[in-house]
Amino acid sequence: MILIGQYDSPFVRRVALALRFYGLAFEHRPWSTFGDADKIAPHNPLRRVPTLLLDGGEALIESTAILDYLDELVGPERAMMARSGPERRRALKVCALATGLGDKAVSLIYERVLRKDQLKLWVERCQTQIGGVLVALEQERAAVASPYWFGDRIGHADIAVACVLRFTGEAHPGLFDGLRYPALVAHAAHCEALPPFQEIVQKLDPPKG
Ligand SMILES: N[C@@H](CCC(=O)N[C@@H](CS)C(=O)NCC(=O)O)C(=O)O
């Protein structure tokens, strides 16, 4: 398998971490969505990352769909998400909140670096959405005493939240005040201390306008 995309993307990083936690071998192509768009396009016309190329040449896109495939590959016993029921629904919701936060944080970067004049209405909307999700995730995580969101094993929800927190903190330090989100800060620190997180990491390098 070949994973396309840089690890400063929280979406690429969550996929790379799942591959590593599952012990699945992969090659990495750290192509930039802007600088290397023409290389990405033959595999993904959206020119987005992550894009995962399977050995037969099939290209998977969207981090959630890619993880769905990896879960199928390793089987239900090893999958880092419950197979069905309320726990699966809750985990998918945590993932959706985290990746939605990531979408908004990415939008804000593009607004900052690609536009001459930022659109106040859009910037404020994204900031409000980011703040709202952080509060919701903080409440959820504070209510859980286990090492990870759903017990003793790390899952996709844990990884998604940790990746997005790192990205948001680097991209928009003013929007992530650790003092307001102690449970999330502790969660991120716990995850980031794990060897796969220390190996699969890249300081944010936003596109230039
Ligand atoms: N929903 C997508 C989001 C992926 C995404 O936003 N990737 C960014 C990089 S962090 C990207 O490719 N941006 C270029 C673009 O959207 O044109 C996923 O979960 O994979």
Side-chain angles (χ1 to χ4, degrees), residues 4 31-49:
I4 299 175
W31 294 343
S32 149
T33 44
F34 283 82
D36 299 311
D38 290 340
K39 287 201 257 181
I40 300 171
H43 308 291
N44 180 355
L46 283 168
R47 296 165 179 247
R48 298 182 96 188
V49 297

Side-chain angles (χ1 to χ4, degrees), residues 9-11 33 47-50 62-63 103 106 110:
S9 157
F11 308 100
T33 44
R47 296 165 179 247
R48 298 182 96 188
V49 297
E62 280 287 326
S63 58
D103 286 333
V106 169
Y110 293 160

Side-chain angles (χ1 to χ4, degrees), residues 43-79:
H43 308 291
N44 180 355
L46 283 168
R47 296 165 179 247
R48 298 182 96 188
V49 297
T51 295
L52 185 73
L53 306 182
L54 304 189
D55 292 345
E58 185 184 353
L60 303 186
I61 63 173
E62 280 287 326
S63 58
T64 303
I66 295 172
L67 295 181
D68 185 67
Y69 167 74
L70 298 182
D71 289 352
E72 192 182 302
L73 205 60
V74 299
E77 294 306 318
R78 295 189 59 217

Side-chain angles (χ1 to χ4, degrees), residues 124-140:
E124 287 176 356
R125 181 178 168 82
C126 290
Q127 289 176 342
T128 303
Q129 289 165 310
I130 289 172
V133 171
L134 287 172
V135 168
L137 288 174
E138 170 68 19
Q139 281 171 358
E140 275 248 9

Side-chain angles (χ1 to χ4, degrees), residues 95-171:
C95 288
L97 285 170
T99 54
L101 195 166
D103 286 333
K104 295 298 158 179
V106 169
S107 289
L108 273 185
I109 288 193
Y110 293 160
E111 189 69 24
R112 189 167 71 209
V113 300
L114 302 180
R115 258 187 198 271
K116 203 153 67 81
D117 299 309
Q118 295 186 34
L119 188 61
K120 191 166 172 280
L121 178 73
W122 178 245
V123 169
E124 287 176 356
R125 181 178 168 82
C126 290
Q127 289 176 342
T128 303
Q129 289 165 310
I130 289 172
V133 171
L134 287 172
V135 168
L137 288 174
E138 170 68 19
Q139 281 171 358
E140 275 248 9
R141 191 62 181 95
V144 173
S146 50
Y148 296 105
W149 221 287
F150 295 96
D152 293 332
R153 280 176 61 200
I154 193 162
H156 293 314
D158 299 296
I159 296 172
V161 171
C163 290
V164 152
L165 290 179
R166 181 180 195 102
F167 178 79
T168 307
E170 287 188 3

Side-chain angles (χ1 to χ4, degrees), residues 3-14:
L3 177 62
I4 299 175
Q6 302 195 356
Y7 294 152
D8 63 352
S9 157
F11 308 100
V12 177
R13 193 174 181 223
R14 75 187 288 236

